[in-house]
Amino acid sequence: MKIGIDLGGSHIAIGLVNEKHEILEKRTYYMSERKNETAENYILICLKEGINQILKSANIDLNNIEMIGIATPGNPQNGCLKNLINLEIDEYDLRSNLKKALNVDDIKIELENDGKCAALAEKKLGSLKDYSDCVFLCIGTGIGGAAFFDNKFIKPKRNSGFEFGHMVIRKNGEKCKCGNKGCFEVYCSKKKFKEKIKKILDVKEYISAKDLINLINENKENMELKNLIDEYIDNLTIGIANIINILEPEAISIGGSLSHYESLIFDNLKNRIYNGEYLFNKENPPIILAAQAGNEAGIIGATLI
């Protein structure tokens, strides 16, 4: 048994995963509920509580857990959270603090970038399992991802790499939380996309992706909305075309919470990539796929580190 943790910009999901990569128990906490707690303290509180609840519910001792894998934004190194831009965490030794919180010294705790973890799950179990050279693009609060060549997970020695969200697609563009201007993430994160749609449609409360898509379909003639979606897909096309031109994969899988908007975006996106003006090798474009592992990719991928 392993415990997988998906530490995102908006939520923390904790799961008990068996040898078949199935999630047997799960707990979810939301960053919006942390109130006056620092992000670091809230993360630790949630992890301790969630892990203990799961172990109690499953009637399993922590000593029987093979490892705890944590999928996290940023550039985790040596058990530390690093550069979590959306949570404003510069550096935090999560491995040591979690061991203290759980009162255990010898359990294996590994951290990896969340986009990489989702990619590992997608390659092992999902849309990319039949492709040797492929890319996973994770679009949610931010944009991350990973690449595989000859079925090998590519991992740079220094930093996590493949920070697709921070390639510049617009010179002197809007400022990103990373401090640079014109980043892909600024224009194409699902969070920013959803916020703009809600503003146009005057939706002030929380709304699910399904309900928001229904509302969009009810307002198809809204020109401001049409222009927003069109511009979003164009920016997404530019970013993905850059990735294709550099890496030349057989397939690109798009996951993260943007996958909830597949019906709204993917057909137009594929058409623009396949028939547009941005690809260098236009005759043999990669297959564009929707991720299959869903919301559980981070949890499962964390156990594959």
Side-chain angles (χ1 to χ4, degrees):
M1 293 285 189
K2 298 179 180 180
I3 289 176
I5 297 166
D6 184 6
L7 174 56
S10 59
H11 75 286
I12 302 167
I14 308 165
L16 179 67
V17 181
N18 66 13
E19 62 278 359
K20 296 180 181 179
H21 313 294
E22 299 168 330
I23 297 176
L24 306 180
E25 291 270 351
K26 183 179 175 182
R27 298 292 185 276
T28 304
Y29 301 87
Y30 296 94
M31 289 296 181
S32 59
E33 297 175 358
R34 69 183 171 103
K35 298 179 180 177
N36 294 324
E37 288 284 355
T38 64
E40 294 93 332
N41 286 344
Y42 184 70
I43 288 168
L44 191 62
I45 290 167
C46 292
L47 294 189
K48 179 182 178 181
E49 179 182 303
I51 290 170
N52 286 331
Q53 284 185 5
I54 285 172
L55 294 175
K56 183 177 180 181
S57 178
N59 195 26
I60 295 175
D61 190 88
L62 185 58
N63 292 325
N64 294 322
I65 297 299
E66 183 180 343
M67 64 92 74
I68 297 174
I70 304 175
T72 169
N75 183 30
Q77 293 179 352
N78 301 318
C80 293
L81 302 176
K82 293 192 74 174
N83 303 327
L84 273 68
I85 295 167
N86 291 307
L87 292 176
E88 299 180 343
I89 296 176
D90 292 326
E91 185 169 345
Y92 177 65
D93 190 346
L94 181 57
R95 178 190 286 157
S96 295
N97 282 289
L98 182 56
K99 285 185 176 182
K100 289 178 185 177
L102 296 174
N103 195 28
V104 62
D105 291 324
D106 56 355
I107 191 165
K108 181 181 179 184
I109 300 177
E110 298 290 347
L111 282 70
E112 181 57 272
N113 175 268
D114 53 358
K116 312 294 186 293
C117 289
L120 288 169
E122 208 61 42
K123 185 73 173 73
K124 179 78 173 179
L125 307 166
S127 61
L128 296 176
K129 62 184 179 181
D130 295 325
Y131 298 95
S132 175
D133 294 352
C134 51
V135 169
F136 179 71
L137 189 61
C138 186
I139 304 179
T141 304
I143 298 179
F148 299 84
F149 289 98
D150 195 23
N151 287 316
K152 295 176 183 177
F153 174 53
I154 306 302
K155 186 175 174 64
K157 289 183 178 179
R158 294 192 304 158
N159 297 310
S160 61
F162 297 97
E163 290 287 355
F164 298 130
H166 299 289
M167 65 178 164
V168 175
I169 66 168
R170 190 171 300 179
K171 181 181 178 182
N172 296 323
E174 187 177 339
K175 190 172 182 178
C176 179
K177 285 188 176 181
C178 75
N180 296 330
K181 293 182 178 180
C183 290
F184 185 31
E185 185 173 295
V186 171
Y187 299 98
C188 290
S189 76
K190 187 277 304 184
K191 180 181 179 182
K192 185 69 71 74
F193 181 55
K194 185 175 180 179
E195 286 174 353
K196 289 181 177 179
I197 291 174
K198 286 177 65 177
K199 184 175 180 180
I200 289 172
L201 297 179
D202 196 29
V203 177
K204 293 182 172 60
E205 67 282 354
Y206 169 80
I207 185 170
S208 68
K210 181 180 178 181
D211 289 339
L212 186 59
I213 289 171
N214 289 335
L215 189 59
I216 290 168
N217 289 330
E218 291 171 6
N219 290 270
K220 284 183 176 179
E221 302 309 313
N222 184 315
M223 286 306 300
E224 188 178 4
L225 183 61
K226 277 184 176 182
N227 291 336
L228 171 65
I229 294 172
D230 187 68
E231 181 182 19
Y232 179 82
I233 295 173
D234 194 46
N235 286 327
L236 196 57
T237 302
I238 292 170
I240 292 175
N242 285 336
I243 294 169
I244 294 170
N245 289 337
I246 294 168
L247 299 177
E248 287 292 354
E250 299 170 272
I252 292 183
S253 177
I254 301 175
S257 49
L258 184 70
S259 58
H260 298 152
Y261 297 82
E262 179 182 356
S263 62
L264 184 68
I265 291 170
F266 274 50
D267 285 345
N268 283 336
L269 174 65
K270 291 177 185 179
N271 181 59
R272 292 191 196 188
I273 290 174
Y274 296 153
N275 303 307
E277 58 189 20
Y278 300 122
L279 292 189
F280 177 72
N281 292 312
K282 295 178 171 60
E283 297 79 13
N284 189 27
I287 297 170
I288 308 295
L289 303 164
Q292 295 175 356
N295 291 334
E296 316 298 359
I299 292 176
I300 295 170
T303 66
L304 296 172
I305 299 171

